[in-house]
Amino acid sequence: MSCKALGNFDASSQTCNGPLQFVDLFIKGRAEEPAFGDTEPRKLIGMSNVDFKDVKLTDAKFTRTSLQGVGFDEGSLEGAFFIECSIDSTYLNTSLKGVTFSLCELVNSSVYANGFSIAWTDISNTVFDGFDGADDQINFYGLGFAWADRPPFYSTVGATRVNYYPFDSERLKRVRLCDPPRKQDGDVIEISKRRRLVGMYGESCNVISLEDARKEFPKSYEPFVK
């Protein structure tokens, strides 16, 4: 929407006085098809190392898009729909009311838990700020999953620091923990090669209990502070 339509256009300087706002933006990242016989997943086209501070994207649609190191600080992504997207090392400290992540990777990121939905999405090693387990914060209307050695975390704000804790049984009620595939020597297979062994969304993974995951990967479940 234009600055004039939003009412924040300064006629004297011919500039906008408010944040940028886009409505019904549609971003489709072309999926690069692998060569015949290639077992590696397709690479998605998208954005990396972009800062969208104070930008409002209302009812945006992202399809097969890669967001790598993207920052949405403040502003809004309300009503956005992400499908088959790869979101990695991204900061979503913005209004996410009505947002849906479906069939995505949402990994190694920081996300403000304030009214979005997740369906069949990998949330490994992502921090959900302020998530207390309530459905009105995150609605898992389709199962999420995470690798057992890279569990999701939630954060709480103290007087002088932020505390980070791995998801407990209540927060994991709609999330499967997947036991990482192993090499012949017993070591876990690296992250980049796991999904093609268990399905794009972990549908064929061996589900492991939280208790067993804590025993198998104790360091992955240690709380920390910042």
Side-chain angles (χ1 to χ4, degrees):
M1 297 179 68
S2 69
C3 294
K4 292 182 179 179
L6 294 171
N8 57 20
F9 180 72
D10 185 347
S12 60
S13 63
Q14 297 292 298
T15 60
C16 291
N17 289 328
L20 293 174
Q21 181 168 337
F22 300 88
V23 179
D24 292 328
L25 180 68
F26 181 42
I27 299 176
K28 182 176 181 179
R30 178 179 59 85
E32 294 179 347
E33 296 294 340
F36 181 76
D38 189 358
T39 57
E40 293 298 318
R42 292 179 298 178
K43 296 180 180 179
L44 304 181
I45 308 302
M47 297 176 284
S48 63
N49 303 316
V50 180
D51 185 7
F52 286 99
K53 183 175 175 60
D54 292 328
V55 174
K56 294 183 178 181
L57 301 179
T58 303
D59 297 329
K61 296 177 179 62
F62 297 83
T63 301
R64 293 183 176 178
T65 304
S66 171
L67 303 181
Q68 176 81 30
V70 176
F72 286 92
D73 191 12
E74 301 178 2
S76 172
L77 272 171
E78 291 186 7
F81 192 85
F82 295 83
I83 183 167
E84 296 187 14
C85 291
S86 177
I87 303 167
D88 191 348
S89 304
T90 287
Y91 186 62
L92 299 178
N93 181 30
T94 187
S95 177
L96 298 172
K97 293 180 180 178
V99 171
T100 297
F101 300 96
S102 180
L103 305 175
C104 291
E105 288 179 294
L106 181 57
V107 298
N108 308 316
S109 296
S110 179
V111 183
Y112 178 35
N114 66 345
F116 59 87
S117 298
I118 285 178
W120 306 108
T121 288
D122 181 358
I123 59 172
S124 297
N125 200 42
T126 283
V127 174
F128 294 92
D129 297 314
F131 181 43
D132 62 14
D135 290 341
D136 61 354
Q137 290 180 308
I138 303 177
N139 174 28
F140 288 96
Y141 72 88
L143 288 176
F145 87 94
W147 295 112
D149 59 340
R150 300 175 66 82
F153 276 68
Y154 68 97
S155 67
T156 60
V157 179
T160 59
R161 62 186 186 181
V162 180
N163 304 287
Y164 297 86
Y165 305 94
F167 271 28
D168 51 26
S169 57
E170 177 63 22
R171 291 172 176 80
L172 284 173
K173 61 186 178 182
R174 295 287 290 165
V175 180
R176 295 171 301 149
L177 287 177
C178 291
D179 195 18
R182 311 277 175 158
K183 301 177 183 177
Q184 289 186 344
D185 61 7
D187 290 341
V188 297
I189 290 177
E190 48 267 43
I191 288 286
S192 62
K193 297 180 179 179
R194 293 180 187 178
R195 300 187 76 183
R196 59 191 175 94
L197 298 176
V198 300
M200 283 299 292
Y201 312 106
E203 60 268 25
S204 301
C205 79
N206 293 320
V207 177
I208 187 174
S209 69
L210 176 59
E211 181 181 4
D212 289 341
R214 288 181 179 275
K215 292 178 181 177
E216 185 74 22
F217 309 103
K219 290 186 177 181
S220 298
Y221 290 83
E222 294 178 352
F224 61 97
V225 297
K226 285 186 177 180

